[in-house]
Amino acid sequence: ALVTNNDLKDTQAISVIQEAKNIGKQKEKEMIIKVLKEAGGSKKKAAEMLGIHRTTLYQKLKKYNIR
């Protein structure tokens, strides 16, 4: 199959978007860990500080494998 210039641009755009998502996920994980420490390990307090529901925090803890 012939690879066109457009195919390469599409692939580069997808990898840039993926990279941005990965950076976003890493920043989110770091923020959750930081806030959890500031909250003294209290998930209820950490969720309040993050402005999210406690259930959402638990989902994110599971997603990022944070204990």
Side-chain angles (χ1 to χ4, degrees):
L2 191 66
V3 177
T4 66
N5 228 356
N6 275 347
D7 290 339
L8 286 173
K9 282 181 187 155
D10 288 348
T11 304
Q12 287 168 338
I14 290 166
S15 66
V16 167
I17 291 166
Q18 195 54 51
E19 175 98 4
K21 283 182 183 175
N22 291 342
I23 291 168
K25 287 176 184 173
Q26 185 59 37
K27 291 286 180 208
E28 184 177 54
K29 181 179 178 178
E30 288 168 8
M31 181 181 279
I32 291 169
I33 292 169
K34 180 175 171 266
V35 170
L36 259 176
K37 284 180 185 166
E38 288 174 11
S42 165
K43 291 176 182 70
K44 181 178 185 283
K45 190 174 177 187
E48 285 171 6
M49 289 166 72
L50 289 164
I52 58 175
H53 199 276
R54 204 167 69 235
T55 307
T56 306
L57 178 60
Y58 277 102
Q59 289 168 345
K60 290 183 184 296
L61 293 174
K62 188 176 179 183
K63 175 182 175 182
Y64 297 123
N65 202 16
I66 301 168
R67 301 195 185 282

